[in-house]
Structure formats: C-alpha cells, structure tokens
Amino acid sequence: MKALVASVLACASLLSFNQAAAAPIEIKFSHVVAENTPKGQMALKFKELAEAALPGEVEVKVYPNSQLFTDSTVLQAMQLGDVEMAAPSLSKFQKYTKKLQLFDLPFLFEDMEAVDRFQNSPEGQKLLKSMESKLLVGLGYLHNGMKQLTANDPILTPADISGKKYRIMTSDVLQAQFEAVQAIPLKKPFSEVFTLLQTKAIDGQENTWSNIYSKKFFEVQDYATETNHGLLDYMVVTSSEFWYGLEDDVRAKLQKAMDEAIAHGNAIAAQKSEEDKQKIIDSGKTEVSSITAEQREQWVNAMKPVWKMFEDEIGADLIEAALKSNK
Ligand code: LMR
C-alpha cells in the first residue's frame, strides 16, 4: 500500500513538473492606442516574431485601447508584476526619471532623422537604463511622430490658443509649454480625450496625425494645424525583475524580436504620419492648416523659454547632445 501511495505521488509530482516545464512564459503587452497605429502594429509584430522565435515557450498577449491598463496605471502595475510590457509615450515617465523630460521640450528636434540620431547615440541609449532603480528597463524607442494642434477654432499663432483648455499628457514640461502661450493645460489619460473633446469640456489637444485619426479626434474638432512643435515617441519598457529573471538565450531572442518589431513600427510611423493626415483632410470634417515661417517663429519664441525652466532637471549636457543631432 505504502509503495502504491509513493508511486502515485511520484507520478503526480512528475506530471505537475512536466506541466510547469511546458507552461509558456506569458507576456502581457498593454497599450492605449488603436491597433492601426505604429504602436499597435509594433506590438502585434512583436507577438508574431517572439512566438516564432520561441515556439511553445512564450505567449504574448496584446491588449490595445487601454483594455488592460490606462497610461496612468500601467507603470505601477508593471512594478507590481501585473503586466510585463508596455510602450508609454516618453512624456509619461516623469515620476520615474526627470531625464526623459528632454523629449518634451518644444521645438527641440528638427525632424525624425534627428530624433533617430539622438536615440541611437550613447546618450540616447543610456536613457533606456535610466529607470532601473525603479525596476523598469527600456528595450528600445519607438516612433510615432511630431505633434500637431487641434481645436474648434482656427489656430495659426500662439494668441489663438490663449485662454483655451488643452488636454496634455502627464508632463510638467507640456504643462509649462501651454502655460507659456497662456493656454490652460489639463493632464488627462489618453482614454478620456475623445469624450472630453466631444462634450466640449476641453477646447483642444496636441497629438500626432495617427492618433488624431485612429481615435477620431478629427470628428469632434473643426480645425487642425500642422505645427510639428514637439515629439510623441515611446519607450518600450519591461520590469527588470521579469527581464533579468529570464534565461539568457530567451532574453536575447526576445530582444531581437523587439528590435525587429520596432523597426517595423518605425517604418509604419513614417508612412502613417502622411497617410492619416491625408485621410483627415479627405474626410472634410476638419480644416487642416499649416503655418508660415513667421508664425512658426512666434511659436518658437513663446515656447522655447521652457527649455531653461527644465535645464537643471534634464541636464544641460543632455540638451546639448540632443541639439547636436540636428545636423
Ligand atoms: C497620448 O496620451 O496622447 C499618447 O501618449 C497616446 C499614445 O500612446 O500614443
């Protein structure tokens, strides 16, 4: 009888060992945008590549549209081990590092090539590791593109948005940027923007063409102006506990899948920026304007003093390094 019990127990523990060994590593990837965006497509590409590189060993579950976490809760959830990956915009990390505020400085980068040059530089790469003490590791940067302004009244000069309520991401730099032109900035999660615009609780917002299009902001805003006044890019992050707890070869394969997925997302970002702007124009629902060199100068003069306000927190050397990437 004893022998029988022992062998049943042995079988049971072997079975549970095998089951445990066979269970794939689950990677929940949470994000806030639609699937037809650079980030949405990047996340799906990562799933495809990671699962192909590690068949049966990993399972990537992508949750778009703030289905799992909003941008105000995802990083804390990651620290607690409730989600493995996310790609918040660089504006949403200020609780974890002040250095990334660099990317919010208005009119810092001349174009996306300059952004690429900086992000690939030693200074840019070092920033990926700037939150390790907060248990967050950056796996790479992903582009969305330059931000534009939308509102229900025409916007050409800073005076046009004076006194108007603008939704911003949770960034003190963005707050200072709008205060510099006497607008009223309100920090709100991305998931609330459409309703805030639709109900006219706010007057306008800043975002990229792909977000304005995919979240239908253009359907509830009469005007959009191509100001290219700032950058909306992302950092793909994971928890250091999760990442460094993986076997070396698994981590290397996942990093490779991520690098390729990011390259794919970046190619889409470049293309979507133009395409989605055109779709908004073609819809006839929003009048899209551009600004003259003189009007641009007015925006630059009004907003650039913000750089000095954050120079100590960001570091003058980092701002200098970013400026060098503008050739
Ligand atoms: C926003 O909040 O406007 C963006 O960061 C959303 C996103 O992730 O692109």
Side-chain angles (χ1 to χ4, degrees), residues 31-33 37 39 71 87-92 144 147 167-170 188-191 193 205-208 210-211 217 232-234:
H31 69 80
V32 299
V33 290
T37 56
K39 183 159 55 180
D71 41 23
S89 93
L90 293 164
S91 316
K92 294 176 184 167
N144 187 324
K147 286 179 293 187
R167 176 268 175 174
I168 55 163
M169 296 180 273
T170 48
K188 295 284 178 189
F190 188 59
S191 52
V193 182
Q205 62 90 45
E206 54 165 16
N207 232 305
T208 57
S210 79
N211 281 347
F217 299 160
L232 199 167
D233 257 25
Y234 308 110

Side-chain angles (χ1 to χ4, degrees), residues 17-196:
F17 174 78
N18 280 341
Q19 275 173 349
I25 300 163
E26 187 183 83
I27 301 177
K28 293 191 277 307
F29 193 137
S30 169
H31 69 80
V32 299
V33 290
E35 289 199 319
N36 60 340
T37 56
K39 183 159 55 180
Q41 291 297 305
M42 180 281 283
L44 292 174
K45 187 55 131 185
F46 172 68
K47 174 181 168 63
E48 177 195 320
L49 296 173
E51 290 179 352
L54 292 155
E57 285 185 68
V58 297
E59 189 184 356
V60 181
K61 291 185 178 160
V62 180
Y63 298 88
N65 294 313
S66 309
Q67 269 167 20
L68 192 59
F69 293 105
T70 67
D71 41 23
S72 48
T73 54
V74 73
L75 292 174
Q76 208 181 349
M78 189 171 281
Q79 289 176 314
L80 295 172
D82 292 337
V83 61
E84 286 71 33
M85 287 188 185
S89 93
L90 293 164
S91 316
K92 294 176 184 167
F93 288 99
Q94 76 175 29
K95 262 208 302 250
Y96 304 89
T97 173
K98 299 287 180 208
K99 298 271 165 204
L100 293 179
Q101 294 184 120
L102 172 81
F103 292 99
D104 278 342
L105 296 179
F107 296 104
L108 179 68
F109 294 105
E110 274 168 16
D111 50 31
M112 293 310 290
E113 285 73 37
V115 175
D116 259 333
R117 278 192 290 272
F118 174 73
Q119 290 177 345
N120 292 326
S121 73
E123 292 89 350
Q125 289 295 301
K126 206 169 139 199
L127 290 175
L128 294 172
K129 309 265 175 213
S130 61
M131 295 178 283
E132 287 201 337
S133 65
K134 306 280 164 53
L135 309 181
L136 299 174
V137 193
L139 300 181
Y141 295 101
L142 172 72
H143 295 330
N144 187 324
M146 292 291 179
K147 286 179 293 187
Q148 323 301 342
L149 295 172
T150 70
N152 280 320
D153 295 300
I155 317 156
L156 293 173
T157 67
D160 296 331
I161 71 168
S162 166
K164 299 276 164 70
K165 291 196 194 104
Y166 268 72
R167 176 268 175 174
I168 55 163
M169 296 180 273
T170 48
S171 153
D172 291 348
V173 177
L174 298 181
Q175 181 176 340
Q177 168 196 280
F178 276 98
E179 284 170 355
V181 291
Q182 281 78 50
I184 304 159
L186 297 166
K187 291 177 180 166
K188 295 284 178 189
F190 188 59
S191 52
E192 293 178 20
V193 182
F194 180 85
T195 307
L196 289 166

